[in-house]
Amino acid sequence: MKAKKKLFIALAGILLLFTFQILVIPPTASFAGKHPPFYLLNSEGDIINPLTGENADQPYSTYNTCDMCHSYDDIVQGYHFQMGAKSVSDHYSKEQPWVLSDGMFGKF
Amino acid sequence: MDITVWQWATTGPEGKPTCAGCHPGGGPMEFDRDGQRYDERLTEKPSLSDSLYGDYYGSHWDKSGVLEADCFMCHLSSYSFETRTEQLKNWNLKWASTAASGIGTVEGSIYDVVDNNDPSAEPKVTYNKRLFNEDGKIVLDIKPTVDDNNCMQCHGPADMKKRAFSWHDEVNPDVHSQQGMHCVDCHPAGMDHNFAKGHTTIETLRDDLDNSMRSCKDCHTEGYRGATIPKHVNIPPSHLKDIACETCHIPQKHRAAGQFFDTTHGNLHWDIIGKKEAWGKPEDWYPAYMKFDGKIIPINPIFGIWWGNREKNGIVYPLFARELAAAWGIYGSRVTDDNGDGFAEVNKREEIRLGLKAVETVLHKSSRFEQVHAVFIKGDKAWEFNQDSLLVGKWDPVCKGRGFSISHNVAPAEMALGANGCPDCHGYNGEFFKRTYIVDPYDENGNQVIAPVRKTIGISDYSYNLCAIHFPLIRPYMGIVLIIIFFVTTLHFTSFGPHDFGGRPLHPRSDDYERIDRFNLFERLTHLFVLFTFIFLALTGLAFAYRGGGRFLELFFGNTVTPRVWHGWLGFVFGIGVLFMLLQWWRDAMLIPSDKEWVRNFGGYLGGHDPVPADRFNAGQKVYFWTVIIGGIALLLSGTVLFFREHLPLNLVFTCIFIHYIAALFGVSGVLSHVYLSTGANPGTFPAIFVGKVTKLWARRHHPLWYEKITGKPASGSSDHQNQNHSDESK
């Protein structure tokens, strides 16, 4: 009975250690900084697999592909993407009414 | 910009990318101003492409797809921008990333499908199977950060403003680049992809993120990642406060940049420094300067020659390129190329007059302005017709030139301005003040009109000339003047010895060694204050004047700021001491007739045998006294200006720097002579200013008139007896 109890405690401890490791270490860590392999998705969100010929003649969609892991909608709020589009307004500048935003909309 | 979104994405000059070649997709490349995807909306409502809706006019989004944000543009070092451009010009928007990232090849062209009505040209993708695992997943070397080369693809060609080519410039690479730093080291970004920004003079996008990048100070005060921590011991703190690091540390540029553009012909004609065909080509040039955010920064001056229309509200609206092209069609043939650069420039009054009339003719045909009143902006003048229809050119706020701030190409410290001392900037040939910039690219004869850069930061010709005299001609010789004083006094002592009247003793008297009061306690304390403060001020002041002086100051104070603070405050104490001296000694320092004899005999310093008439102060001391008073007041007043220099006009400040150094030079020279005369030259004099007493013998010898005044006895005479008789007679 005592042997069974010891075995139970040992197994439970090992299980706890594994659980702890899974919780603490992020899944990408095993790739040591390399981006893991991933599926390309087309504009419909379907997998492109050139090896099987599945949708293999279609371009991939960044939105569908990258958004699987990274928040595409958040990323494209960055100013490299928006270029001032979010602030476009006919009333953006009183002194230079042709300038429509903080980006290059309406000006050179 | 006078182009539609579709043109933005698909149209570009021959051999150059479209705007979307660099704009990475997403945002306005994907969604219209109503927040709907271009391709979906146009598919639903094809008539939009025939409407005047700028997001859809003439577009084929329904066939080309949209430009989604292309992650690989930045995160894949093998990304091909040339392929992207090719795809965009073929209107293959949604295929662009697939082709440019190299994960597949794309054959076909939406342009051919639409414009040439060739359905067989529909783009087809052939993926590179070698990149895929057996399970169909792709394996790519996607970087978690961004390689410099990816940044360079866009920020390099835009070197007119972005200047990324300069970062790895082979001729003069940025020192940070040489140390292996990358763009994202200073411009990091988080998952929000908002890269940390500096603060440029022109760009306005996301100004709320200005100065979020790592600044020079961030790393070079903390030693972040091994950055050096410069002490700038020989640089005045005011310079560190008022001048940006880049100003001194980017002394020169080696990549041609734009200097002005001309829209007269209806397109954008750039004039590039060194007349290069493209910016970014090797070309040595020197930045100009401007004040920005309270600091003097280096800039590439850029301004435009443009045409506008002054509306009823007084605002000058720039015109569309097509309007200018139409106007040029009317009068262009009558405009000549005066400077022979192959570009016919509007510079003569008659040409300007023709241009304004042609522009007004074109504008009268449209109804976009309530009032047609053409304006031509060139250099520092806006040209327009006045109420009497006469051509007038005068400065207008719209003429305000622009400079693009420079922050790359940081040179090694040894090459920085000031590394060779103050004359690097302040000398007659000092780069800082002597550089010029273009005010007007072509005058009536087609010649450039230039002006010194110093004027843009408020330095007048007067200040420049004052500096040109002061820094190279006065400061370096201050030490030599002091050495000359040492030499002359030593020579005098060696030649004539102590001032003992030829070694002939006066007739001894029994009271010769009795002491009499020469200076009271208050006088002695005043002198002491002035003496000690002057020693401190002179030593620190000389250290400020010389390149190596900073090391000397650091040795005693641990830094160079503390002595400057003390120099300022003790200067006031010195000034007050000088004023007290004036109050207590001015009567004694007034010249009297007998001083002429003292002067005639050179005070006996050239080997006279008899005492020379002198009151409490001899003629030499009186001259010295007034020199000290005038010099001291000059130092006090000029020093006060320098103490508050930040709030005062530069002309006044430079004048006071000049006066301060001249006065200090005279002061230090005078004090050295004074010390010699009161010690080696006149034994027995020195203790008087500390203990306040002198012997009667000393008084008889050096200040006989004063002796007679305070004792009532004659200074000369053979014996006590004679003196006694003299006293009796006088009674």
Side-chain angles (χ1 to χ4, degrees):
Chain A
M1 191 63 189
K2 273 188 179 177
K4 276 187 181 176
K5 194 176 176 183
K6 281 181 182 174
L7 184 63
F8 171 76
I9 291 170
L11 287 173
I14 291 168
L15 188 64
L16 268 174
L17 278 175
F18 271 105
T19 310
F20 180 75
Q21 188 186 10
I22 289 165
L23 286 174
V24 169
I25 301 174
T28 53
S30 58
F31 294 97
K34 293 281 185 186
H35 196 286
F38 58 98
Y39 285 117
L40 293 178
L41 305 184
N42 66 10
S43 56
E44 304 302 318
D46 299 326
I47 289 174
I48 295 169
N49 188 342
L51 302 182
T52 61
E54 189 183 359
N55 301 313
D57 59 344
Q58 296 173 22
Y60 86 98
S61 157
T62 327
Y63 173 75
N64 287 327
T65 303
C66 302
D67 194 53
M68 283 192 295
C69 300
H70 312 284
S71 174
Y72 180 93
D73 289 336
D74 287 344
I75 288 169
V76 295
Q77 300 309 311
Y79 65 83
H80 271 83
F81 305 99
Q82 292 295 329
M83 297 169 284
K86 284 199 288 189
S87 61
V88 167
S89 161
D90 286 340
H91 310 290
Y92 178 77
S93 171
K94 267 189 180 176
E95 294 77 22
Q96 296 176 309
W98 58 92
V99 176
L100 305 178
S101 89
D102 60 343
M104 300 299 278
F105 291 88
K107 68 174 180 181
F108 169 70
Chain B
M1 290 288 284
D2 198 16
I3 57 174
T4 65
V5 180
W6 175 253
Q7 288 172 319
W8 189 21
T10 60
T11 310
E14 183 72 29
K16 292 187 176 175
T18 72
C19 297
C22 281
H23 289 299
M29 301 262 80
E30 190 177 2
F31 297 99
D32 65 17
R33 65 192 68 186
D34 299 320
Q36 297 188 44
R37 265 179 74 116
Y38 297 114
D39 51 352
E40 291 171 0
R41 191 168 180 186
L42 191 61
T43 303
E44 282 174 18
K45 198 174 178 184
S47 62
L48 280 173
S49 69
D50 297 324
S51 72
L52 290 178
Y53 189 179
D55 286 357
Y56 291 93
Y57 176 77
S59 71
H60 303 280
W61 300 110
D62 51 340
K63 297 182 179 62
S64 68
V66 296
L67 276 170
E68 293 176 352
D70 191 346
C71 308
F72 295 150
M73 256 178 106
C74 300
H75 292 287
L76 201 61
S77 50
S78 58
Y79 193 89
S80 167
F81 281 74
E82 290 76 15
T83 307
R84 179 180 173 84
T85 296
E86 186 188 333
Q87 293 298 316
L88 297 180
K89 286 190 172 177
N90 281 330
W91 299 1
N92 298 342
L93 304 190
K94 69 178 176 184
W95 288 269
S97 180
T98 304
S101 60
I103 59 179
T105 54
V106 176
E107 288 187 13
S109 157
I110 293 296
Y111 178 84
D112 287 337
V113 172
V114 175
D115 241 40
N116 298 329
N117 200 20
D118 179 7
S120 66
E122 182 75 26
K124 290 185 182 64
V125 182
T126 305
Y127 283 97
N128 182 355
K129 293 179 183 176
R130 290 181 182 177
L131 298 174
F132 291 82
N133 279 342
E134 286 179 356
D135 59 0
K137 288 183 176 176
I138 193 167
V139 181
L140 290 172
D141 186 16
I142 297 172
K143 309 277 185 189
T145 178
V146 185
D147 276 357
D148 286 0
N149 284 338
N150 289 71
C151 303
M152 220 67 78
Q153 294 288 349
C154 290
H155 291 266
D159 212 43
M160 177 269 290
K161 290 200 287 190
K162 309 288 186 185
R163 302 187 194 292
F165 278 155
S166 308
W167 177 247
H168 289 313
D169 193 339
E170 288 176 5
V171 181
N172 182 22
D174 194 294
V175 286
H176 303 94
S177 161
Q178 285 183 308
Q179 293 296 320
M181 287 179 65
H182 303 289
C183 305
V184 291
D185 288 330
C186 294
H187 299 279
M191 278 308 290
D192 61 0
H193 285 62
N194 275 325
F195 286 82
K197 290 177 65 195
H199 189 189
T200 68
T201 46
I202 289 181
E203 289 169 333
T204 53
L205 182 62
R206 289 302 301 271
D207 279 348
D208 58 312
L209 297 174
D210 281 349
N211 297 320
S212 52
M213 66 173 285
R214 285 201 179 95
S215 67
C216 310
K217 202 175 168 187
D218 288 340
C219 295
H220 288 283
T221 53
E222 304 291 333
Y224 178 71
R225 288 179 61 170
T228 53
I229 303 178
K231 292 184 177 175
H232 290 114
V233 290
N234 294 317
I235 307 293
S238 62
H239 285 46
L240 300 175
K241 184 169 176 287
D242 298 336
I243 302 173
C245 308
E246 297 91 333
T247 305
C248 299
H249 289 274
I250 308 176
Q252 193 176 14
K253 297 287 287 184
H254 298 275
R255 290 278 182 176
Q259 52 187 356
F260 66 88
F261 60 84
D262 192 335
T263 60
T264 300
H265 295 200
N267 53 26
L268 202 59
H269 170 77
W270 270 102
D271 187 275
I272 296 168
I273 292 174
K275 303 296 176 192
K276 299 288 175 184
E277 291 174 3
W279 40 66
K281 299 286 181 189
E283 176 69 31
D284 293 346
W285 59 279
Y286 300 94
Y289 303 104
M290 70 179 282
K291 278 188 178 170
F292 183 66
D293 268 3
K295 289 206 171 195
I296 295 170
I297 62 164
I299 57 162
N300 167 200
I302 298 172
F303 62 90
I305 296 170
W306 55 283
W307 301 74
N309 185 65
R310 194 180 292 280
E311 258 290 21
K312 273 187 174 174
N313 57 11
I315 294 175
V316 179
Y317 284 71
L319 303 181
F320 288 134
R322 62 171 183 273
E323 292 167 332
L324 295 176
W328 182 251
I330 296 171
Y331 77 106
S333 60
R334 298 170 67 184
V335 177
T336 54
D337 175 13
D338 293 315
N339 59 10
D341 65 351
F343 179 82
E345 68 283 332
V346 172
N347 57 321
K348 296 191 181 78
R349 293 179 74 90
E350 183 54 25
E351 290 172 342
I352 296 171
R353 201 174 283 120
L354 286 170
L356 290 172
K357 285 180 179 171
V359 167
E360 290 186 352
T361 302
V362 170
L363 294 182
H364 274 302
K365 292 176 187 169
S366 78
S367 57
R368 73 187 190 101
F369 295 116
E370 288 183 48
Q371 165 187 293
V372 171
H373 182 83
V375 184
F376 176 49
I377 292 94
K378 180 172 76 78
D380 58 350
K381 287 189 178 67
W383 296 85
E384 56 195 309
F385 294 119
N386 67 10
Q387 288 177 334
D388 301 323
S389 299
L390 296 172
L391 182 65
V392 178
K394 59 183 180 182
W395 190 87
D396 187 278
V398 293
C399 302
K400 196 178 173 188
R402 296 290 183 91
F404 194 86
S405 41
I406 294 170
S407 49
H408 292 157
N409 272 122
V410 175
E414 294 77 12
M415 291 169 67
L417 289 177
N420 298 311
C422 306
D424 267 7
C425 297
H426 293 285
Y428 186 69
N429 290 314
E431 290 292 342
F432 193 78
F433 290 161
K434 205 177 181 187
R435 288 177 190 170
T436 56
Y437 72 104
I438 299 173
V439 177
D440 188 342
Y442 7 80
D443 63 8
E444 292 225 12
N445 299 316
N447 300 320
Q448 286 185 348
V449 180
I450 58 172
V453 164
R454 57 179 179 267
K455 292 195 172 173
T456 64
I457 49 174
I459 307 283
S460 65
D461 289 344
Y462 166 78
S463 294
Y464 165 68
N465 288 323
L466 213 53
C467 285
I469 296 168
H470 173 208
F471 285 92
L473 297 179
I474 294 179
R475 278 205 194 189
Y477 300 107
M478 286 181 71
I480 292 173
V481 169
L482 301 184
I483 290 169
I484 289 171
I485 300 286
F486 273 119
F487 177 73
V488 169
T489 51
T490 310
L491 188 68
H492 177 265
F493 190 77
T494 308
S495 305
F496 299 101
H499 190 198
D500 59 357
F501 309 98
R504 195 174 70 183
L506 288 177
H507 297 291
R509 295 179 186 172
S510 59
D511 62 350
D512 268 353
Y513 294 97
E514 282 181 16
R515 289 176 178 270
I516 52 175
D517 288 336
R518 173 124 175 100
F519 297 113
N520 64 34
L521 179 63
F522 190 73
E523 288 174 322
R524 288 176 349 240
L525 286 175
T526 303
H527 184 271
L528 206 62
F529 263 106
V530 172
L531 172 69
F532 285 147
T533 51
F534 188 84
I535 289 171
F536 179 88
L537 295 170
L539 289 176
T540 52
L542 278 170
F544 299 153
Y546 285 95
R547 266 181 71 201
R551 300 282 175 208
F552 167 79
L553 295 173
E554 209 183 17
L555 185 68
F556 287 96
F557 298 94
N559 60 65
T560 56
V561 177
T562 305
R564 284 181 185 277
V565 173
W566 278 94
H567 188 93
W569 286 106
L570 285 180
F572 288 117
V573 177
F574 167 78
I576 292 166
V578 168
L579 292 177
F580 272 112
M581 280 168 53
L582 174 66
L583 289 174
Q584 64 198 15
W585 286 332
W586 72 272
R587 282 190 189 85
D588 297 318
M590 298 304 283
L591 291 170
I592 54 175
S594 61
D595 288 330
K596 284 180 189 171
E597 193 183 341
W598 190 96
V599 173
R600 209 176 295 124
N601 289 296
F602 293 103
Y605 285 109
L606 297 182
H609 294 280
D610 298 313
V612 189
D615 204 340
R616 191 182 186 200
F617 297 136
N618 62 41
Q621 286 173 313
K622 288 175 182 177
V623 171
Y624 174 69
F625 173 81
W626 289 113
T627 305
V628 167
I629 295 299
I630 294 168
I633 290 173
L635 285 167
L636 176 65
L637 294 179
S638 57
T640 304
V641 168
L642 299 180
F643 195 80
F644 299 104
R645 64 199 302 163
E646 290 170 23
H647 312 287
L648 296 168
L650 276 176
N651 276 352
L652 177 64
V653 171
F654 277 113
T655 305
C656 287
I657 291 174
F658 187 80
I659 291 172
H660 207 72
Y661 272 92
I662 293 286
L665 186 58
F666 276 100
V668 173
S669 307
V671 166
L672 285 177
S673 309
H674 180 59
V675 169
Y676 167 66
L677 293 172
S678 57
T679 54
N682 292 296
T685 306
F686 179 68
I689 201 63
F690 294 102
V691 297
K693 293 180 185 299
V694 290
T695 61
K696 286 183 176 176
L697 177 62
W698 181 92
R700 282 205 294 138
R701 276 183 162 176
H702 296 281
H703 297 273
L705 297 179
W706 174 67
Y707 172 83
E708 289 173 3
K709 265 187 195 173
I710 60 167
T711 61
K713 297 175 184 176
S716 59
S718 58
S719 66
D720 291 335
H721 178 70
Q722 279 182 343
N723 289 340
Q724 187 60 48
N725 291 341
H726 178 84
S727 300
D728 294 343
E729 284 168 14
S730 65
K731 285 175 186 175

